[in-house]
């Protein structure tokens, strides 16, 4: 589904991604871990087409298409979803209108008619229950005044509404209390199908207790320096990253 080959990218002339290779097949969950500043959020920004970052080398094939040639809008319409590390507030835009516009955009792209008001509200209700998002929040402006945890939960609600093919979750667990962590993780698991894939960026093994990854990667200084099974996350929790650094520098 996703094949990243020798991807180099940077910002303001500074190289951040220094040759990323990563293959994600449908049905899989990949976890990306790595120290602060290693390039995890940059990789997700590049995949969704954030124009601030410039790709200097390499290629990304998504569902047989050259992803880097698609506009950010088309990447979303083609089923890529990013849950932001720092979700933005959109004052004055109600959740209902925002989500309705997003869902209808996707419908239009697929040649489907817009969703009716009744069907849309039914869909909202159904998806809200997946992350136990309070109805009061759904009635407010997007993320405005939401607590950190509410924003993260809202991200997964939006993901549930859009049913992405490739979901990238950038530190969705940070700032979540124990119950919210479980609810959000359960929501992500409920949205898993054999046809979609998820990339989970996290610092902590505990999220991976709930969302079981098939593969764990360590991103360090713009490169993936280790790839292994779920046991790698446990090892990192115990040992940190230093042992890998020496391995990578050898
Ligand atoms: N807009 C920017 N301007 C300058 N440097 C940037 C910009 N965005 C990111 N960087 C730099 O790129 C590097 C990688 O940042 P990135 O946010 O991808 O790290 P990360 O792995 O997501 O870290 P964290 O675990 O703290 O979220 C950092 O050194 C950061 O300072
Ligand atoms: Mg980050």
């Amino acid at each position: 589904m996703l094949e990243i080959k020798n991807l180099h990218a940077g910002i303001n002339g500074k190289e951040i991604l220094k040759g990323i290779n990563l293959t994600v097949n449908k049905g899989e969950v990949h976890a990306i871990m790595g120290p602060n500043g290693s390039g995890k959020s940059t990789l997700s920004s590049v995949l969704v087409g954030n124009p601030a970052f410039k790709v200097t080398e390499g290629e990304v094939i998504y569902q047989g298409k050259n992803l880097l040639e698609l506009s950010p809008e088309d990447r979303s319409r083609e089923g890529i979803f990013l849950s932001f590390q720092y979700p933005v507030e959109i004052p004055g835009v109600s959740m209902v209108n925002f989500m309705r516009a997003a869902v209808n955009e996707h419908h239009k792209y697929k040649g489907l008619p817009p969703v009716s008001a009744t069907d849309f509200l039914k869909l909202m209700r159904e998806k809200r229950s997946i992350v136990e998002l309070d109805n009061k929040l759904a009635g407010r402006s997007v993320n405005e005044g939401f607590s950190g945890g509410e924003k993260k939960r809202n991200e997964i609600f939006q993901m549930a509404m859009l049913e992405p093919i490739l979901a990238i979750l950038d530190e969705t667990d940070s700032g979540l209390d124990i119950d919210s962590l479980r609810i959000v993780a359960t929501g992500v698991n409920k949205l898993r199908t054999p046809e979609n894939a998820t990339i989970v960026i996290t610092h902590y093994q505990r999220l991976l207790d709930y969302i079981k990854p098939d593969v764990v990667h360590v991103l360090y200084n713009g490169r993936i320096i280790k790839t292994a099974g779920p046991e790698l996350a446990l090892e990192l929790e115990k040992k940190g990253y230093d042992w890998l650094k020496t391995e990578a520098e050898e």
Side-chain angles (χ1 to χ4, degrees), residues 41 85 170-171:
S41 295
Q85 184 171 3
D170 194 355
E171 293 194 29

Side-chain angles (χ1 to χ4, degrees), residues 1 8 13 24 46 52 65 75 98 101 103 108 113 120 138-139 181 194-195 218 230 232:
M1 164 189 296
H8 291 249
V24 178
V46 168
K65 295 192 172 85
R75 295 182 199 198
F98 179 73
V103 168
K108 197 169 144 197
F120 181 73
L181 177 72
E195 295 306 312
V218 176
L232 177 58

Side-chain angles (χ1 to χ4, degrees), residues 73-178:
E73 294 78 14
D74 279 348
R75 295 182 199 198
S76 161
R77 294 173 185 131
E78 289 284 342
I80 298 188
F81 176 87
L82 170 63
S83 163
F84 291 98
Q85 184 171 3
Y86 305 107
V88 286
E89 300 193 6
I90 318 178
V93 177
S94 78
M95 286 274 289
V96 177
N97 288 341
F98 179 73
M99 284 322 299
R100 197 161 172 199
V103 168
N104 278 336
E105 259 307 310
H106 284 224
H107 273 227
K108 197 169 144 197
Y109 190 69
K110 290 182 194 143
L112 298 168
V115 51
S116 75
T118 0
D119 284 352
F120 181 73
L121 290 176
K122 212 173 113 206
L123 187 71
M124 285 270 288
R125 211 174 316 126
E126 182 193 315
K127 302 299 187 182
R128 227 171 6 88
S129 71
I130 292 183
V131 282
E132 299 176 29
L133 187 80
D134 197 302
N135 190 24
K136 287 191 207 95
L137 293 180
R140 280 162 50 182
S141 291
V142 182
N143 286 327
E144 193 184 14
F146 284 26
S147 76
E150 288 168 349
K151 283 181 187 168
K152 297 285 173 165
R153 207 182 276 217
N154 189 30
E155 293 282 297
I156 305 305
F157 161 70
Q158 293 179 13
M159 169 177 158
M161 290 292 287
L162 297 173
E163 297 184 337
I165 294 169
L166 175 66
I168 306 164
L169 311 179
D170 194 355
E171 293 194 29
T172 303
D173 52 335
S174 67
L176 289 181
D177 65 41
I178 307 292

